[in-house]
Amino acid sequence: MTAQEVRLCGLLLQEHFGDVVEKVGTHLIRSGVLTLRALAYETKLALDLVKKSLCVLVQHGMCTFGAGRRGPAGPVEYRINCEHILHMLRYPRYIYTAKSLYGDTGELIVEEILQRGQMTMSSTVKTVADRLTHNMPEGQSMDYSEVVSAFSRLVETHFLQRCPPMASAGSSSSEAVDTPIPALSQPAEPESHPECYKLPYINLTGQGKRRRSSEDGEDDQRAAKKAKTDNSECGDEGIYWQVNFQRFHLHFRDQAIISAVSCKLDQTSSEIVRTMLRMSEVTTPAHAAFTQALSANECKQSGIKALIVFHQIFRALPPSYNIARPILDQYLTLLVDDPMEFVGKTGDSGGGMYVVNLHRALANLARATLESVVQERFGSRSARIFRLLLRKRHLEQKQVEDFAMVPAKEAKDMLYTLLSENLVQLQLTSCPPPDYFCNTATRRLLEKSQRIEAILASLQATGAETAQLTEVEEMITAPERQQLESLRHHINKYYTNRLDSSENQVDETIFLLESYINSTQASR
Amino acid sequence: MSQIMAGRGRGQLTFSVEIVGIGKGENLPPSSVQPTPLFPPLDQKPVPLQAGEEAEYMLALKQEFRGAMKTLPFYIRPAAPKKDVERYSDKYQKIETSDNNLEWKPDWRRFPKELRVREKRPLRDKGPAVPKQPKQPRVDKEEIIRKLETLEQKEEERSSDEEEGEKKKPEEEEAEGEEEYDEEEFEDETDYIMSYFDNGEEFGGDSDDNMDEAIY
């Protein structure tokens, strides 16, 4: 974890859970694994506050606990899950995706579960039905069955999953002996549980309740609390659901590839690629039509999706795309020939065997991102040099000047700037003179993006107050106090909005670069 | 700092500076001896932020989410500063930070036992110490009237609630001061309206309690 990542985690915790949880969480990040007592002692916080903070973190999947170094007989140890904390940056994207796939109902389901960390199906359904009912015209209400069906679809497509079951961590039943807590070093993977995506049978009929008077979010809170305490009759007690982040990430990755194809080529090409991606996705109906597949291992090794046969693509295309076979063939050829290498052709049988080259696609997207960053920060000439280095890998200074068609002095300056920003590396060779510039970049850029993210978040936190205050003071001569306040409020909003939007967008970049890095590690 | 120079002072380079193409005596950009400024001057203008429906919706989602989290019980605020002397009326005062109680009830089968916070409320203990399940009856004007009429029924309900081990919490979360009528009924079996227990702190020393003096 870099210092910036730690800082960013702290800011995110503070934003969503307050200072106390931030202090506990940050300390855990820095120390690794700790017991409750140690944590309380080292943070100098009241024991009760530490307990509550840990509850909050565990509830939201950001902290795991288990038997520590001294085994099941010893004290429980806690470990932070930083990745989960960083995912908070992406919550708007998860919610928006759910909306685009499953409508308002899907959106609210995912939003509720993200807010509460984990929920049973029945309490989610009730809460969401209430919220939807509130927005409906008088006299109408949302039936539970509709919400149940949206929830089910989210589970079937793996966007939601069951929380891993606990070996009873201090069961409240009358058992005399507690079953031992599993070791902390082996946290339960949700997908290792065979019933991970199994929907419980719940006995739940009815409709959302409309609130009697339109008040603020306190009513939501009460309704939610009420819903939570009433769930024992529904039959799904003890079965909790969480958001499956990995699944959303797969979706984002596919989206990135599809939209790149759409930009580079055209809509139809992107639809073809989308169809191919869906065919290899186990959870989609399109997969059913698809019978030939490489084994999962082979896929991982070569970093490609399963082989897809032409005829199957043709059959799997959405009906609105009425293209004849020869036309499809042309599109596929175009895709294969495109230098971005999104799609590859591996054989001719069955009308042609095609693959989506995930790793290549991600690499190209990452490269395009980096080039764009260099261009925007350092100008088009530096971008030219950078692109050159990317292509040629190693270049001498003189070669850089010649290939990039940039005068010597400028080339030197730009190289030095790129060098100091760690985008470029200087390599010395032991033998005869010339030394080489080669390209490093990705990791650094990721850290840089995260640093930007952290700066944004902290600016957000302080509200960038001072800058605006001076602006306001200079601008205004003899205002009413109210006017000043509302003006300051507007300016604050303006900056806050921009900062928040930037956070969202920087996270998109981070996601792309992370995906690329992860795929290089997977394909080793 | 460039990787080559990591860990070394400026004057000790392992390669001749000329190789890199920097002539003797030429000016290099100054080396940085302090952290980069928070707002560095930019040579290039940054790309404008994405606009459009999607970006705006996500922005709204982000801000609403943040706001919502602050109202949820997962947002932990440290205890309010203690008052100087404990007063009897404190029992009936509106307490804003709800005594640091966890207002959500974790499923303790999924949490380590040691994280359970056993809160004692000496002034409010009623029956067995069972984890509280707050149940908030919605209070508004209509209900006050209805309450008066169905007082008997309510007492029946309340006693059956106690049997289930549930406690009704005081209306700590009713924020507005204007809603004074909310204080008129209080679960802790008092016949007095809430303003009886006002210790006068909020009104800056109005002498309500000294009725003997004439009011001018």
Side-chain angles (χ1 to χ4, degrees), chain A residues 54-356:
Chain A
L54 285 172
C55 281
V56 167
L57 290 169
V58 169
Q59 169 79 5
H60 285 81
M62 294 171 192
C63 173
T64 50
F65 61 89
R69 285 158 279 205
R70 293 208 231 133
V76 173
E77 287 185 344
Y78 299 88
R79 182 205 300 271
I80 272 278
N81 184 339
C82 290
E83 241 184 75
H84 255 67
I85 301 179
L86 290 172
H87 287 156
M88 286 202 273
L89 279 171
R90 223 162 266 160
Y91 280 5
R93 211 171 162 193
Y94 301 136
I95 300 171
Y96 187 78
T97 301
K99 184 190 181 74
S100 63
L101 293 173
Y102 301 108
D104 288 347
T105 316
E107 175 190 2
L108 290 189
I109 291 174
V110 170
E111 190 179 66
E112 280 294 320
I113 297 183
L114 284 173
Q115 278 180 4
R116 300 200 160 258
Q118 37 181 285
M119 281 178 93
T120 62
M121 180 170 169
S122 46
S123 54
T124 312
V125 168
K126 288 186 211 169
T127 313
V128 170
D130 286 351
R131 280 180 73 177
L132 287 167
T133 301
H134 176 70
N135 291 328
M136 292 167 88
E138 192 69 44
Q140 289 184 26
S141 56
M142 174 61 72
D143 198 279
Y144 286 167
S145 58
E146 275 191 58
V147 186
V148 168
S149 112
F151 192 101
S152 309
R153 297 221 305 283
L154 280 163
V155 171
E156 280 155 14
T157 48
H158 294 198
F159 285 104
L160 294 177
Q161 66 189 176
R162 287 201 195 192
C163 298
M166 301 282 165
S168 74
S171 122
S172 53
S173 71
S174 52
E175 282 175 22
V177 179
D178 281 349
T179 40
I181 302 175
L184 183 61
S185 51
Q186 296 142 17
E189 280 298 323
E191 292 211 330
S192 59
H193 184 222
E195 301 202 317
C196 180
Y197 299 108
K198 182 170 169 208
L199 282 162
Y201 173 72
I202 56 172
N203 181 16
L204 186 64
T205 49
Q207 286 152 344
K209 313 278 180 295
R210 185 178 294 280
R211 300 194 298 239
R212 245 163 287 160
S213 46
S214 50
E215 225 69 23
D216 53 0
E218 278 191 18
D219 290 326
D220 272 330
Q221 202 181 334
R222 279 201 212 102
K225 270 191 268 184
K226 211 163 190 288
K228 270 177 70 87
T229 58
D230 288 341
N231 70 1
S232 43
E233 314 100 51
C234 296
D236 68 338
E237 254 245 311
I239 302 177
Y240 293 91
W241 298 86
Q242 65 190 17
V243 167
N244 180 0
F245 298 113
Q246 294 313 312
R247 179 65 184 93
F248 277 97
H249 296 164
L250 280 185
H251 181 86
F252 297 157
R253 187 201 58 196
D254 291 352
Q255 286 296 105
I257 295 176
I258 292 167
S259 74
V261 174
S262 170
C263 283
K264 185 107 198 284
L265 298 172
D266 65 4
Q267 173 82 346
T268 311
S269 308
S270 74
E271 275 310 309
I272 295 172
V273 173
R274 185 201 301 272
T275 306
M276 291 173 75
L277 285 167
R278 291 186 72 223
M279 286 170 77
S280 2
E281 206 47 66
V282 184
T283 59
T284 59
H287 180 77
F290 171 51
T291 47
Q292 249 185 39
L294 289 176
S295 70
N297 244 352
E298 285 170 282
C299 283
K300 274 210 191 113
Q301 278 167 12
S302 43
I304 56 178
K305 280 264 193 199
L307 278 175
I308 305 174
V309 173
F310 177 86
H311 294 309
Q312 287 161 343
I313 301 177
F314 185 76
R315 279 199 290 270
L317 279 173
S320 47
Y321 277 84
N322 210 354
I323 44 181
R325 281 172 205 262
I327 310 288
L328 175 60
D329 195 47
Q330 282 178 12
Y331 271 106
L332 283 166
T333 311
L334 266 172
L335 279 164
V336 168
D337 289 343
D338 190 276
M340 293 290 255
E341 296 178 283
F342 291 113
V343 175
K345 186 170 187 182
T346 58
D348 289 308
S349 55
M353 311 254 280
Y354 297 91
V355 290
V356 177

Side-chain angles (χ1 to χ4, degrees), chain B residues 57-72:
Chain B
Y57 196 81
M58 297 236 291
L59 173 64
L61 279 176
K62 181 183 270 264
Q63 294 179 334
E64 276 166 26
F65 194 91
R66 241 189 240 137
M69 290 304 284
K70 293 198 160 78
T71 69
L72 286 177

Side-chain angles (χ1 to χ4, degrees), chain B residues 193-209:
Chain B
I193 59 169
M194 285 311 293
S195 48
Y196 179 82
F197 294 106
D198 260 343
N199 56 16
E201 279 177 351
E202 291 151 11
F203 291 98
D206 244 304
S207 50
D208 266 345
D209 19 354

Side-chain angles (χ1 to χ4, degrees), chain A residues 296 352 359 405 520:
Chain A
H359 177 66
M405 293 178 291
T520 53

Side-chain angles (χ1 to χ4, degrees), chain A residues 417-425 440-441 444, chain B residues 1-3:
Chain A
T417 309
L418 289 173
L419 192 65
S420 61
E421 295 285 344
N422 270 317
L423 290 165
V424 147
Q425 220 175 11
T440 166
R444 298 270 176 264
Chain B
M1 284 295 290
S2 87
Q3 293 198 339

